[in-house]
Amino acid sequence: MGDSQLYSDTFTLTEINDQKYDRVSRLKGNNENGDTEFTLDVNTELFPCNTGEHLSLVIAATLSLDGTKDDGKGWRGVSRGEQTLADEYDYVCHGKVYRHQFDEGDDENIKVYISFGGLLLYIQGPYRKLTPLRVDYVYLLIKR
């Protein structure tokens, strides 16, 4: 993981629910060793998915390859031709971490909730792996 990357893992899609919306599906998956699971709303018009597919998921604080902060400029402040972390991924979103939750009696796992303009990510797993997600704004990057 680079300086800008807060979390990185590979997941297998276990379920896709496309019943509620036309262009949005709710993906569910587990990482390879089974200690982390996620639920993610995704625009399937831009990023179609199939059950059983393997996805590499990264949550980063900045798109800068050297890890320098965005200083509020976000993805729109990137100059043409400038290389960013987003160039290496198929699906990129910018969002806000809005909630952390511990289950009573479970000190080992944490639940993190992130909103990407209404498309939600819920990720649950070991506290030690998800602790870096205690920042306000993050980028979600996914590739096959």
Side-chain angles (χ1 to χ4, degrees):
M1 255 188 314
D3 293 337
S4 64
Q5 295 182 18
L6 304 172
Y7 176 81
S8 178
D9 211 337
T10 301
F11 290 85
T12 302
L13 294 180
T14 57
E15 183 181 332
I16 299 175
N17 182 343
D18 59 0
Q19 302 299 312
K20 194 163 186 164
Y21 301 104
D22 291 336
R23 293 180 289 260
V24 175
S25 292
R26 181 158 282 177
L27 311 178
K28 291 188 179 189
N30 297 316
N31 70 344
E32 292 175 338
N33 61 4
D35 67 350
T36 307
E37 63 183 47
F38 82 96
T39 301
L40 172 66
D41 298 336
V42 102
N43 182 331
T44 50
E45 198 171 64
L46 299 175
F47 191 69
C49 298
N50 296 305
T51 304
E53 241 180 333
H54 298 283
L55 301 178
S56 175
L57 185 139
V58 170
I59 300 174
T62 178
L63 292 178
S64 174
L65 292 174
D66 62 3
T68 56
K69 298 278 185 207
D70 286 342
D71 295 326
K73 70 179 182 178
W75 60 271
R76 293 182 182 178
V78 175
S79 303
R80 288 186 183 237
E82 182 181 343
Q83 293 291 317
T84 68
L85 195 58
D87 296 330
E88 302 170 19
Y89 291 84
D90 303 318
Y91 189 80
V92 180
C93 296
H94 182 256
K96 180 172 178 54
V97 177
Y98 67 93
R99 186 167 148 202
H100 296 87
Q101 180 180 342
F102 290 94
D103 284 336
E104 210 170 299
D106 186 2
D107 296 341
E108 297 297 316
N109 291 305
I110 187 172
K111 298 175 183 175
V112 179
Y113 299 83
I114 307 172
S115 176
F116 302 98
L119 299 178
L120 303 177
L121 169 65
Y122 155 81
I123 188 164
Q124 176 181 332
Y127 176 79
R128 66 186 178 344
K129 285 174 66 175
L130 299 177
T131 294
L133 300 181
R134 291 196 168 270
V135 298
D136 282 339
Y137 294 96
V138 295
Y139 293 93
L140 171 70
L141 303 105
I142 303 174
K143 67 180 171 184
R144 291 183 169 79

